[in-house]
Amino acid sequence: MAIIIKPLVTEKMTKITDKQPNRYGFVVRPEADKLQIKKEVESLYNVTVVDVNTARYAGKRMSRYTKAGLINGQKNAFKKAIVTLKEGETIDFYSNI
């Protein structure tokens, strides 16, 4: 069972990576702890992880108007991990494309 769901490549995360080139974001399973995240990133990308910061996000209720009427739903809850690598190491998310 994989701990990391996907890398977080958003405008906000790209700005963080531009300021500090050794920080990367990932969407991870909500039950994952920092040690599991560290071990998974190190094994997948062959880098040395110095620090892991995590944040939980609650699912939000959303609604929209359509021809059929009002449609209600909910976005999924998720957990985000920001991983700090050893100085000089990088991860290239686009090399596997």
Side-chain angles (χ1 to χ4, degrees), residues 72-85:
N72 293 319
Q74 183 168 352
K75 289 189 175 181
N76 292 335
F78 66 98
K79 186 174 188 177
K80 179 169 73 173
I82 298 177
V83 177
T84 305
L85 304 180

Side-chain angles (χ1 to χ4, degrees), residues 5 10 16 19-20 28-29 38 46 49 51 76-77 80 97:
I5 297 172
T10 60
I16 291 173
K19 281 185 181 178
Q20 299 169 334
V28 297
R29 293 189 170 278
K38 178 181 177 178
N46 295 326
V49 176
D51 190 26
N76 292 335
K80 179 169 73 173
I97 294 177

Side-chain angles (χ1 to χ4, degrees), residues 1-96:
M1 181 168 78
I3 301 294
I4 295 175
I5 297 172
K6 64 181 179 180
L8 197 60
V9 184
T10 60
E11 193 172 341
K12 187 174 183 180
M13 199 63 228
T14 305
K15 285 183 182 179
I16 291 173
T17 305
D18 288 342
K19 281 185 181 178
Q20 299 169 334
N22 57 345
R23 298 192 96 192
Y24 297 93
F26 297 93
V27 177
V28 297
R29 293 189 170 278
E31 63 271 6
D33 62 0
K34 292 182 180 186
L35 294 175
Q36 291 172 332
I37 295 166
K38 178 181 177 178
K39 190 183 293 184
E40 181 96 6
V41 170
E42 286 178 344
S43 66
L44 279 176
Y45 297 104
N46 295 326
V47 292
T48 306
V49 176
V50 176
D51 190 26
V52 178
N53 297 28
T54 59
R56 289 177 171 261
Y57 291 88
K60 296 180 182 176
R61 295 193 181 276
M62 305 300 258
S63 62
R64 64 180 179 191
Y65 292 100
T66 64
K67 285 184 179 178
L70 184 65
I71 297 175
N72 293 319
Q74 183 168 352
K75 289 189 175 181
N76 292 335
F78 66 98
K79 186 174 188 177
K80 179 169 73 173
I82 298 177
V83 177
T84 305
L85 304 180
K86 192 170 91 174
E87 199 66 39
E89 293 187 350
T90 60
I91 296 175
D92 188 12
F93 293 129
Y94 302 109
S95 65
N96 296 336

